[in-house]
Amino acid sequence: MKVLGIESSCDETACAIVEDGKKILSNVVATQIPFHEIYRGVVPEIASRKHAEWILPVVRQAVSEAGLTFDDIDAIAATNRPGLMGSLLVGLTFGKTLAWSLNKPFYAVNHMLGHMYAAHLENDIPYPYLGLLVSGGHSIIAKVNGFDDLEILGTTIDDSVGEAFDKVSKFYDLGYPGGVIIDKLARKGNPKAFSFPTPKMDKGEHRYDVSFSGLKTAVIHQADSFLNPGYEKTVENIAASFQETACRTLVSRLMRAVEDTGLTTVVAGGGVAANSRLRSMLAEHKELNCIFPPLKLCGDNGAMIAGVAYHFLARGETSPLNTTACARIPQFKRGLANLESFGRR
């Protein structure tokens, strides 16, 4: 089954064709970064207008690069949640219209399921495992029981890690996107220069939760208070120390989940999964089998959407053509109580 997947939840106009949920036949991503970087962040109105302008040529390019025609496509999929409403509606409306015009089945995909599935496109990963979803909008630790079954253990109580990266970068006028720039600057700095604070959530329902609002505030407004003797206040040192603290916060909560569930396979997804320090930090835990998507599949892309949709379609599920977009999704239900079944709490 060849599924055409469309992704337009934020500022990437993307389309890919994936065969049988694994084989990527084409994967086209048109980035809008040059149009947003002067504002140091995504402007929703610009994003939706660019999607409307680019969606048709991007889809045509994906079909052409796959060496197919539209008649060769077996099904259509598009992201419908979560994301910027205007951006979502462009891709979703185009996908539904294309499916209707070709008389092909259609499925609307949860963007977060796509990010969790991205690593599966190039790896055979048995369930269950622990998932680490880290992006501009989400920071989630989950027990993943299946491609559509995420049992949420922890999440952010305020800012996501990607949002913190972008805001710190914007304040220090480093550029956009913040995560990529801070990652590069951090390699020239010393992570021991600043001792930035970490969240104190160690017990009860917040055992696996993360928080980045306090860290962001400390880096932006109180950096001098956390500068260690003998180090200079340079943007490189700030970037290195901030990145180190953010990654250690994520990994510390993840390791609690490893201890409590007994699961030693960890799969990461989302834009921050491309962060070099997060990858190296997890690699230090030799007892874990850590699987990351290739860099090209960490950011938003149509291949992850097509891959997830294949599994829904293969079991006979489709989405009605009156399916609409949703900017947010209800908070995933926490699975903390279910950990008792492991006999580890």
Side-chain angles (χ1 to χ4, degrees):
M1 180 186 291
K2 300 178 182 67
V3 180
L4 183 151
I6 296 170
E7 158 58 31
S8 67
S9 63
C10 190
D11 62 336
E12 312 284 8
T13 308
C15 180
I17 297 175
V18 176
E19 185 173 11
D20 295 336
K22 293 287 288 186
K23 184 178 180 181
I24 300 175
L25 303 182
S26 65
N27 186 26
V28 178
V29 179
T31 180
Q32 299 181 13
I33 288 177
F35 300 93
H36 299 284
E37 61 183 354
I38 61 173
Y39 302 103
R40 301 293 190 265
V42 177
V43 181
E45 176 67 14
I46 294 175
S48 59
R49 287 180 179 274
K50 285 300 173 183
H51 284 309
E53 179 182 343
W54 291 353
I55 186 69
L56 179 57
V58 165
V59 170
R60 281 176 170 167
Q61 183 179 343
V63 174
S64 175
E65 290 186 5
L68 304 173
T69 68
F70 283 103
D71 289 336
D72 298 320
I73 304 299
D74 297 300
I76 312 294
T79 302
N80 79 319
R81 68 194 189 279
L84 301 175
M85 182 59 82
S87 294
L88 286 167
L89 284 170
V90 174
L92 179 64
T93 302
F94 188 95
K96 291 192 296 183
T97 304
L98 184 61
W100 172 82
S101 66
L102 298 174
N103 195 27
K104 306 287 187 180
F106 174 79
Y107 199 85
V109 176
N110 181 329
H111 178 78
M112 300 314 296
L113 293 182
H115 275 309
M116 197 72 265
Y117 187 80
H120 288 261
L121 289 164
E122 295 194 357
N123 300 275
D124 293 321
I125 311 171
Y127 297 102
Y129 57 76
L130 287 174
L132 179 64
L133 281 170
V134 279
S135 67
H138 296 82
S139 297
I140 295 171
I141 296 172
K143 177 174 175 283
V144 183
N145 301 307
F147 77 94
D148 63 339
D149 184 1
L150 273 62
E151 183 181 323
I152 304 305
L153 305 180
T155 184
T156 179
I157 64 169
D158 41 54
D159 294 348
S160 70
V161 61
E163 182 181 1
F165 271 99
D166 283 340
K167 288 182 177 178
V168 168
S169 180
K170 183 175 182 178
F171 178 83
Y172 284 102
D173 199 25
L174 302 179
Y176 174 82
V180 176
I181 294 170
I182 288 177
D183 194 358
K184 291 180 179 178
L185 279 175
R187 298 170 191 173
K188 302 176 183 178
N190 192 324
K192 297 180 180 179
F194 294 82
S195 296
F196 291 123
T198 56
K200 306 299 182 184
M201 298 181 295
D202 302 326
K203 299 179 181 179
E205 66 175 352
H206 293 301
R207 177 169 166 77
Y208 312 106
D209 285 342
V210 294
S211 167
F212 294 102
S213 179
L215 172 61
K216 174 197 68 182
T217 300
V219 175
I220 290 176
H221 298 297
Q222 302 167 337
D224 291 339
S225 301
F226 299 99
L227 180 62
N228 292 317
Y231 294 95
E232 296 182 17
K233 183 185 177 181
T234 65
V235 291
E236 291 83 4
N237 283 344
I238 290 173
S241 301
F242 163 60
Q243 177 176 264
E244 185 75 10
T245 306
C247 290
R248 288 205 177 279
T249 297
L250 287 169
V251 172
S252 67
R253 272 43 179 188
L254 179 65
M255 294 309 297
R256 291 176 182 177
V258 170
E259 178 183 353
D260 291 348
T261 64
L263 296 172
T264 56
T265 295
V266 174
V267 179
V272 183
N275 182 271
S276 63
R277 184 59 185 128
L278 179 62
R279 289 181 174 230
S280 64
M281 195 176 291
L282 282 173
E284 294 169 4
H285 291 271
K286 303 301 183 182
E287 74 278 17
L288 299 181
N289 175 28
C290 297
I291 304 172
F292 286 82
L295 295 180
K296 64 182 179 181
L297 297 178
C298 287
D300 293 347
N301 65 88
M304 66 184 191
I305 302 304
V308 169
Y310 163 78
H311 292 280
F312 282 110
L313 294 162
R315 69 188 189 192
E317 296 184 30
T318 60
S319 298
L321 293 183
N322 63 355
T323 298
T324 190
C326 182
R328 299 182 181 275
I329 52 177
Q331 188 76 316
F332 286 107
K333 183 178 180 181
R334 296 178 186 275
L336 187 63
N338 294 332
L339 288 178
E340 293 180 359
S341 64
F342 292 93
R344 297 177 181 272
R345 288 192 69 250

